[in-house]
Amino acid sequence: MRMNGKDEDRDRELGMGRKITRRDFLNGISIAVGTSLLAANSTWLEAFGVPQSPFAPEKDPVYYPPAKTGLRGSHDGSWEVAHDLRDGRNKAWAESVDDGESYDLVVVGAGISGLAAAYFYRKLVGNQARILILDNHDDFGGHATRNEFQAGKRLLLGYGGTQSIEAPGNYGKEAIGLLQELGIDVRRFFKYYDQKLFDSMHLREAVFFDKETFGTDRLVPQKGLHYFGVDFTLENVSLMPIAEAARKDLIRLQHARVDYMPGLTPNQKKNNLIKTSYKDFLLQSVKVHPDVVKVFQSSTHDIYAVGIDAVSAYDCAGEGFPGFKGMNLPKSGEQNPEQDEPYIFHFPDGNASIARMLVRSLVPGALPGHTMEDIVTARANYARLDDASSAVRIRLNSTAVRARHIGDPNPATAKEIEVTYVRGGQAHRVRGANCVLACYNTVIPYLCPEMSAKQKEALAYCVKAPLVYTNVQISNWKAFQKLGISAIYAPGAYFSNVTLDFPVSMGDYHFPSSPDESCLLHLLRTPCEPGLNCKDQYRAGRWELVNTKFETFERQVRDQLGRTLSAGGFDPARDIQAITVNRWPHGYAYEYNALFEPLDRPASERPCVIGRQPFGRIKIANSDADGHAYTNAAIDQGYRAVREIVGA
């Protein structure tokens, strides 16, 4: 569809025609070049002493995925083979090449769970163990991905996925032990994370009301805005472009001590609220004006990846949402871990630093340094990841399409497994004494069609939550200083949250603490279809993400930031320097949304527990297998899978 003149004028205002840093190609060489260009470059690559293979982009000296901008996360080239597997378009893979390689352990998935499994296996079996880790992405870390930007000679780091070490005080023995063995002392973040910076500059949170949802564009600074839920003052509410009745209802909702379910016991109220969405609770029990629902609609996106129409009122009560002061509810057995510890345990690149420290431990020469501080600025040497001389090898751009027992047809007595993977359009085969599938649960039934119907059904039950983490490099953050804000909640906008990056400085990395300096903004989008159950919303959101082009994301970034920050002098055409969109159609692990799940299902019958059962020499480890989208869950599941291999 061609744009009309008005749209073209608006695009020019936004800077859509302006050249920004779009490193969709690695210094001019695409990851997906195939064999032809690499073959043409083989002579000068050999001059660098880099061993060649038929398809080895990682051996190219300029190969460096963290510096790429544009569409990242589940980038093009990482998901197509898996979709072909799902859709039965896999006939060509029958003619696979036997690599002639045999390992003690083959791991499918180089995310934190897969890397942790390799770490634990080597720890329990010995450093001589030969391990191959396969991953479909062009970088390791899975959702713990790293985004790098340059501001002159200065390095800026952003997190493209897994954000922080959340509530490390609640980590179990294996997870916290792994961090400690890697050299991560979480207490140091109290020094590295500047908790006073934004307060010292009098920067507050704000709410952006967009004209499409609320009739006008208006930025309303807040005196209090919780990370989960919203806390408004009378002064704030008076500035909101909502009906007068809604303003009164907002104040009543926050301060009135009313029992909206009189006559019920605390446990009866709990069970009722578990099966009532927060939206319905507001409309039917509190009887607020519909504009109040608009204000809160996206406030649950950050943790649940859906709005308040698909989150239970009881869960919202546990997160501190208003409306429950007079309800006399029983205390939840699962407290929000963020209420116990400050949310400060954050590397500048998020938990990508954990993945990088795991790789540094596993593969000699892959990353220099020895500490949690020097890992932040260490540059990975991707040419060392798949080195034949290393006991542990990490093979990127390699999508597993089959994992089967060979020899004895009985998985319980088979002595070896074979894994087939596709790399550069060619299928390859390797063998291993054991295998850990640390990929998404939903792909495992396609990798192992011999599994029982019950186990495959349980694995398919998990529908991961789609989300978009976008990092935007801006020339300075004077507009935020002028407006007196550090974070923005936008209940009706394309991106529900816009925040200045976490103020973390450690080692040789320094947060741009002056508003005159270039910095990163973090924008969150969780594509939803309100009115559907959460799984169907996730499926609809996944379809949207797979079919959204980078140009659309860029236009939305420019439009929303321009409208939100215009009063502070922000010009998207002038001030936006680079954009990295981390697209995760399969994002957070499914966490058994209480609103749609059985209340009386025993823990042993949870689909994640049934799905993760050993399948002969094939074990399963990922956050899906735990039913919680947290780094410690991924680590714990990696440990469990390895213990299933080596014995208790």
Side-chain angles (χ1 to χ4, degrees):
M1 180 183 295
R2 294 183 60 185
M3 293 188 296
N4 59 40
K6 200 171 185 181
D7 291 335
E8 291 175 347
D9 290 343
R10 178 58 179 162
D11 273 4
R12 279 192 292 271
E13 291 175 8
L14 295 174
M16 287 295 292
R18 180 182 179 275
K19 185 176 181 180
I20 60 171
T21 304
R22 289 192 186 95
R23 288 185 293 271
D24 296 308
F25 290 80
L26 297 178
N27 294 335
I29 300 179
S30 171
I31 282 180
V33 290
T35 59
S36 58
L37 180 56
L38 290 172
N41 288 323
S42 61
T43 301
W44 63 266
L45 287 173
E46 289 171 0
F48 282 90
V50 178
Q52 295 304 292
S53 69
F55 181 78
E58 304 89 348
K59 302 297 184 181
D60 193 314
V62 301
Y63 184 94
Y64 195 69
K68 293 187 70 179
T69 56
L71 269 179
R72 300 295 295 149
S74 291
H75 57 81
D76 291 344
S78 68
W79 54 270
E80 293 86 347
V81 170
H83 281 206
D84 285 345
L85 175 64
R86 177 198 66 189
D87 298 335
R89 298 191 295 267
N90 57 355
K91 293 181 180 179
W93 304 339
E95 300 179 6
S96 57
V97 174
D98 188 342
D99 289 345
E101 298 174 1
S102 182
Y103 298 88
D104 299 300
L105 176 66
V106 178
V107 179
V108 176
I112 286 181
S113 194
L115 294 171
Y119 179 92
F120 287 127
Y121 184 83
R122 193 173 68 157
K123 178 182 177 181
L124 294 172
V125 173
N127 291 342
Q128 76 282 358
R130 285 183 46 78
I131 303 171
L132 174 66
I133 305 173
L134 301 168
D135 198 273
N136 56 314
H137 295 93
D138 60 17
D139 204 354
F140 57 81
H143 290 150
T145 191
R146 173 181 172 104
N147 294 162
E148 293 188 10
F149 301 83
Q150 289 294 139
K153 295 183 179 180
R154 183 174 191 165
L155 175 68
L156 295 176
L157 294 176
Y159 58 96
T162 311
Q163 189 179 95
S164 297
I165 303 170
E166 186 170 348
N170 292 335
Y171 273 34
K173 176 182 175 182
E174 284 73 32
I176 197 64
L178 173 63
L179 297 189
Q180 292 170 346
E181 290 173 16
L182 292 175
I184 298 173
D185 181 355
V186 296
R187 295 170 298 180
R188 296 183 194 173
F189 286 106
F190 284 94
K191 174 183 176 182
Y192 298 145
Y193 191 112
D194 191 344
Q195 298 183 67
K196 298 180 180 179
L197 177 64
F198 295 149
D199 285 341
S200 70
M201 301 176 69
H202 306 291
L203 303 186
R204 300 177 291 171
E205 291 83 3
V207 179
F208 175 65
F209 297 88
D210 64 291
K211 62 184 178 183
E212 292 83 358
T213 308
F214 296 94
T216 187
D217 284 345
R218 186 173 300 171
L219 185 67
V220 180
Q222 302 299 308
K223 290 186 177 178
L225 183 67
H226 292 163
Y227 185 68
F228 301 119
V230 185
D231 182 17
F232 299 118
T233 66
L234 183 60
E235 178 185 0
N236 303 147
V237 171
S238 67
L239 299 174
M240 295 180 181
I242 57 178
E244 180 60 30
R247 295 191 183 103
K248 293 179 180 178
D249 284 343
L250 266 176
I251 298 300
R252 172 172 63 90
L253 177 68
Q254 293 182 127
H255 301 292
R257 292 186 174 274
V258 178
D259 186 349
Y260 296 106
M261 296 179 177
L264 299 182
T265 67
N267 280 329
Q268 287 173 331
K269 293 175 186 176
K270 171 185 174 180
N271 291 337
N272 191 305
L273 291 173
I274 287 175
K275 291 303 177 183
T276 302
S277 72
Y278 187 55
K279 174 185 176 180
D280 287 345
F281 171 73
L282 293 178
L283 291 175
Q284 299 171 12
S285 297
V286 187
K287 301 188 184 306
V288 300
H289 188 281
D291 280 1
V292 174
V293 172
K294 291 182 183 179
V295 172
F296 284 97
Q297 177 59 32
S298 302
S299 56
T300 51
H301 280 199
D302 200 18
I303 187 169
Y304 295 100
V306 284
I308 62 171
D309 62 296
V311 179
S312 79
Y314 187 71
D315 282 340
C316 287
E319 300 291 359
F321 279 58
F324 304 97
K325 287 184 177 180
M327 295 289 288
N328 189 29
L329 298 176
K331 291 186 177 180
S332 172
E334 290 189 17
Q335 296 297 318
N336 177 7
E338 292 182 10
Q339 295 173 352
D340 302 328
E341 298 179 83
Y343 199 74
I344 62 169
F345 308 103
H346 174 87
F347 284 96
D349 60 358
N351 287 352
S353 276
I354 298 178
R356 285 156 56 83
M357 293 182 82
L358 279 164
V359 171
R360 182 163 69 182
S361 171
L362 293 167
V363 183
L367 282 141
H370 306 281
T371 69
M372 66 179 283
E373 289 81 14
D374 61 29
I375 194 66
V376 175
T377 52
R379 183 180 175 90
N381 182 350
Y382 286 85
R384 298 297 296 270
L385 295 182
D386 194 8
D387 192 325
S389 66
S390 174
V392 180
R393 304 175 68 174
I394 301 175
R395 190 163 296 164
L396 302 175
N397 302 296
S398 303
T399 304
V401 294
R402 191 78 165 86
R404 70 181 186 93
H405 295 87
I406 55 178
D408 193 326
N410 183 358
T413 55
K415 301 298 183 183
E416 202 172 17
I417 56 93
E418 179 184 77
V419 175
T420 303
Y421 66 94
V422 175
R423 177 174 164 91
Q426 174 64 56
H428 300 258
R429 302 191 310 276
V430 295
R431 291 193 176 196
N434 298 282
C435 176
V436 170
L437 297 181
C439 48
Y440 303 153
N441 264 10
T442 50
V443 77
I444 293 175
Y446 299 99
L447 299 178
C448 305
E450 298 87 358
M451 277 184 171
S452 70
K454 180 180 180 180
Q455 186 169 9
K456 288 193 284 188
E457 181 182 10
L459 289 164
Y461 188 88
C462 165
V463 179
K464 295 174 81 71
L467 67 155
V468 180
Y469 276 5
T470 297
N471 286 310
V472 180
Q473 181 183 357
I474 57 176
S475 56
N476 61 76
W477 47 287
K478 294 178 182 178
F480 285 83
Q481 182 189 40
K482 182 177 179 180
L483 294 168
I485 59 175
S486 61
I488 303 160
Y489 164 58
Y494 192 79
F495 297 99
S496 60
N497 298 77
V498 177
T499 60
L500 287 171
D501 198 11
F502 290 99
V504 179
S505 300
M506 54 190 301
D508 293 331
Y509 185 80
H510 301 286
F511 177 78
S513 56
S514 168
D516 295 322
E517 298 176 292
S518 177
C519 78
L520 298 183
L521 303 180
H522 186 77
L523 284 66
L524 168 72
R525 173 169 176 76
T526 55
C528 305
E529 287 288 339
L532 303 176
N533 66 57
C534 66
K535 283 189 176 182
D536 285 343
Q537 291 202 43
Y538 294 159
R539 294 184 180 102
R542 178 175 308 132
W543 176 258
E544 175 191 314
L545 291 190
V546 171
N547 290 282
T548 301
K549 297 180 179 178
F550 176 76
E551 179 184 17
T552 299
F553 288 116
E554 179 183 358
R555 182 176 290 109
Q556 293 288 352
V557 166
R558 291 180 176 278
D559 179 67
Q560 186 167 336
L561 291 180
R563 290 162 57 183
T564 305
L565 303 171
S566 60
F570 184 84
D571 181 349
R574 177 194 64 209
D575 295 328
I576 292 177
Q577 297 181 314
I579 301 173
T580 299
V581 177
N582 297 280
R583 173 187 62 179
W584 299 111
H586 299 268
Y588 293 149
Y590 181 66
E591 293 199 341
Y592 298 93
N593 188 316
L595 188 61
F596 305 101
E597 297 291 335
L599 284 176
D600 55 353
R601 180 167 56 199
S604 62
E605 294 182 14
R606 296 171 73 207
C608 66
V609 175
I610 297 171
R612 73 190 186 203
Q613 296 306 303
F615 178 59
R617 290 185 171 270
I618 297 173
K619 319 300 180 185
I620 296 169
N622 48 45
S623 58
D624 293 341
D626 190 274
H628 292 93
Y630 296 99
T631 293
N632 58 314
I635 295 172
D636 288 343
Q637 291 303 313
Y639 180 79
R640 175 197 50 76
V642 169
R643 294 302 301 185
E644 289 173 351
I645 294 173
V646 303

